[in-house]
Amino acid sequence: MQKPQILLIDGAAEGETRAEHVLRLLQTAIVKGEIAPGSKISETELARAYGISRGPLREALHRLEGQKLVVRAPHVGARVAELSRQELSELYQIRESLEGLACRLAAARMRPEDVDELRAVLREHERDEAFQAGRGYYQQEGDFDFHYRIVQGSGNGMLIRLLCDELYQLARMYRIQYSATPNRPAQAFAEHHRILDAIADGDGELAELLMRRHIRTSRLNIERQIP
């Protein structure tokens, strides 16, 4: 198993349990590819690497299973998720459909101040050093994630659970690992602005069309890179 680069348990956020802290560290290592897709999970090695007991580690791994980042198979044990070309294509097809719907709903439900906040997020993305150097797109999660904020802005609880909880980290893992394709970061940034303009104008039909096209382009880009 490829060893995680972040090994220290020190530095937990205030009020964060050891299991929550290990979850955050492991989640980051998996999403960024520091623990490679398909890697076998050794509880003994991870407990030693992170300096924790097996109890908090197992709790963290259980939560990673819920996020679809870790999978278990009979007689094989736990491994980091690794989607096949077909499974990855299916994930992006789901995103294309559901995030398109989220845009349509957001165009009707996001307040002007919500749109202004999302424009500020895009300005933050533009200032990112990796983006300016063409090495990739801004990859902070949650409220700093353009896609996350739009789904939240849809106001649809089921969409939010599916896209901001159940599938979020798995989709984010592949977004990060394939974001450095030449010219794609700048293209994606321009597409984000056009999507937000349509939402600001209340044009749900156009916002949905643009988001579906945006995610389809990303899917085709990834499929070209996978044998």
Side-chain angles (χ1 to χ4, degrees):
M1 182 183 71
Q2 182 176 342
K3 298 291 179 61
Q5 293 181 6
I6 305 172
L7 301 179
L8 298 178
I9 199 68
D10 296 332
E14 185 177 353
E16 192 175 48
T17 67
R18 292 179 75 81
E20 290 168 342
H21 186 53
V22 172
L23 169 68
R24 180 161 56 85
L25 294 179
L26 283 172
Q27 183 185 85
T28 298
I30 291 171
V31 167
K32 291 186 175 181
E34 294 165 4
I35 304 178
S39 296
K40 182 175 174 57
I41 297 291
S42 167
E43 291 186 10
T44 301
E45 287 185 21
L46 287 175
R48 185 184 307 117
Y50 287 97
I52 60 168
S53 64
R54 300 284 279 275
L57 176 60
R58 286 175 176 165
E59 182 181 339
L61 290 175
H62 179 70
R63 292 175 66 179
L64 289 170
E65 284 186 72
Q67 295 176 348
K68 310 295 190 292
L69 290 179
V70 168
V71 295
R72 292 184 185 272
H75 313 298
V76 175
R79 291 183 179 274
V80 175
E82 182 177 31
L83 298 184
S84 67
R85 191 177 193 275
Q86 179 177 343
E87 289 170 332
L88 185 54
S89 179
E90 290 172 355
L91 173 63
Y92 270 71
Q93 288 169 354
I94 290 171
R95 286 189 59 211
E96 179 183 331
S97 178
L98 296 185
E99 290 194 39
L101 173 60
C103 274
R104 179 183 288 271
L105 295 174
R109 296 176 178 176
M110 284 184 73
R111 301 167 300 175
E113 52 266 38
D114 297 327
V115 172
D116 290 342
E117 288 178 5
L118 196 44
R119 288 200 191 281
V121 167
L122 288 181
R123 287 195 295 271
E124 186 70 23
H125 291 186
E126 190 173 22
R127 288 192 291 267
D128 180 63
E129 181 180 341
F131 174 74
Q132 291 185 357
R135 296 195 304 268
Y137 197 77
Y138 187 85
Q139 296 295 353
Q140 294 298 318
E141 61 183 306
D143 285 343
F144 294 98
D145 181 341
F146 179 80
H147 290 265
Y148 181 97
R149 289 288 287 265
I150 286 181
V151 175
Q152 292 285 332
S154 74
N156 184 298
M158 188 169 290
L159 276 179
I160 292 169
R161 285 192 295 276
L162 283 170
L163 295 174
C164 295
D165 186 8
E166 294 181 27
L167 296 176
Y168 180 66
Q169 295 296 343
L170 182 64
R172 186 167 168 261
M173 177 173 77
Y174 283 96
R175 282 168 53 195
I176 287 177
Q177 294 180 22
Y178 288 95
S179 68
T181 304
N183 301 319
R184 182 58 190 157
Q187 181 185 8
F189 182 73
E191 291 167 3
H192 284 175
H193 270 289
R194 287 194 288 271
I195 292 166
L196 185 55
D197 286 342
I199 290 174
D201 291 340
D203 192 336
E205 183 175 355
L206 178 59
E208 178 175 10
L209 173 66
L210 291 173
M211 179 60 86
R212 291 179 67 105
R213 184 182 298 164
H214 170 68
I215 295 176
R216 189 181 310 125
T217 299
S218 295
R219 174 175 60 83
L220 294 173
N221 172 59
I222 291 174
E223 288 176 352
R224 283 192 293 268
Q225 298 181 60
I226 299 177

